[in-house]
């Protein structure tokens, strides 16, 4: 067997090889560090459809416009040239129809469009000179509750322009008379076109003036940056 031939390596070759290996190792460490930083910086993805707090959004609930807390219609009184008459809590005139029999309403369809029934979604109540014991309800064919007074169904008139008007008084629309009603339940047969609507509620108490807002506290001045040991600013 022949002897292996030893070939000496110069110092320069060893130096180049050592530097190359060190550079390769440094590059590997830098790449790993960069990958780790990118992974740590990426935020966790939020689950699809979840709100930021994890709670489902509150559903809106439309409240009815102008409805009272209980939903009950108020029957009250107002002063007219023919004496005291019934109105609703907003001062709109209410009527009875001579064609109704007992506590049954005979006004439907086009009649109910011109003379809308006084309905309620809660317990109807009395105010002013109205008698609570005379207030009741009947169930109409559409399932709504119509307010009655002294056993007679009550109606509004679509032609009334607002509170305090009674342009439907004495009308014979749809074949029979329409009358305003007294607190005793009697028909008002005298001519009435306007009346003084009762206040819908007591006047609000006067509020004390709001106290002036206190002046905001002054923010303390920022402390200067500390100087270095050599007397220069850091």
């Amino acid at each position: 067997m022949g002897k292996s031939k030893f070939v000496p390596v110069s110092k320069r070759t060893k130096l180049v090889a050592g530097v190359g290996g060190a550079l390769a190792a440094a590059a590997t460490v830098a790449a790993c560090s960069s990958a780790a930083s990118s992974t740590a910086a990426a935020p966790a993805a939020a689950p699809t459809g979840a709100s930021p707090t994890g709670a489902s959004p509150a559903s809106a609930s439309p409240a009815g416009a102008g409805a009272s807390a209980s939903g009950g219609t108020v029957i009250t009184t107002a002063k007219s040239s023919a004496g005291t008459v019934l109105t609703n809590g907003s001062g709109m005139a209410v009527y009875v129809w001579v064609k109704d029999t007992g506590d049954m309403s005979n006004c439907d369809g086009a009649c109910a469009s011109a003379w809308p029934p006084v309905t309620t979604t809660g317990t109807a109540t009395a105010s002013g000179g109205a008698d609570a014991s005379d207030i009741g309800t009947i169930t109409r064919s559409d399932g709504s509750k119509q307010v009655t007074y002294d056993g007679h169904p009550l109606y509004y008139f679509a032609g009334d322009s607002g509170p305090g008007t009674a342009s439907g008084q004495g009308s014979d629309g749809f074949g029979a008379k329409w009358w305003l009603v007294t607190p005793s339940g009697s028909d008002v047969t005298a001519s009435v076109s306007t009346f003084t609507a009762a206040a819908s509620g007591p006047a609000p108490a006067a509020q004390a003036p709001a106290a002036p807002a206190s002046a905001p506290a002054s923010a303390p001045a920022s402390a200067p940056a500390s100087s270095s040991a050599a007397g220069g600013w850091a």
Side-chain angles (χ1 to χ4, degrees), residues 40-151:
T48 303
S51 62
T53 60
S56 59
S59 57
S61 67
S68 64
S70 65
T73 297
V74 176
I75 300 300
T76 186
T77 52
K79 297 295 184 180
S80 76
S81 58
T84 303
V85 297
L86 297 182
T87 71
N88 75 350
S90 298
M92 295 295 295
V94 296
Y95 304 84
V96 294
W97 192 30
V98 174
K99 196 172 182 178
D100 284 340
T101 54
D103 61 355
M104 296 295 294
S105 172
N106 293 312
C107 181
D108 291 301
C111 175
S113 295
W115 298 87
V118 177
T119 58
T120 185
T121 56
T123 301
T125 57
S127 178
D131 190 340
S133 64
D134 283 334
I135 294 179
T137 59
I138 58 173
T139 302
R140 294 181 59 82
S141 59
D142 61 1
S144 62
K145 297 293 185 181
Q146 182 173 3
V147 179
T148 63
Y149 193 86
D150 193 29

Side-chain angles (χ1 to χ4, degrees), residues 151-204:
H152 303 293
L154 298 179
Y155 303 85
Y156 300 117
F157 178 48
D160 285 344
S161 59
T165 61
S167 54
Q169 170 67 355
S171 169
D172 58 0
F174 298 92
K177 289 289 187 179
W178 298 84
W179 300 120
L180 294 170
V181 192
T182 69
S184 65
S186 301
D187 300 344
V188 177
T189 58
S191 176
V192 177
S193 59
T194 62
F195 56 87
T196 304
S200 58

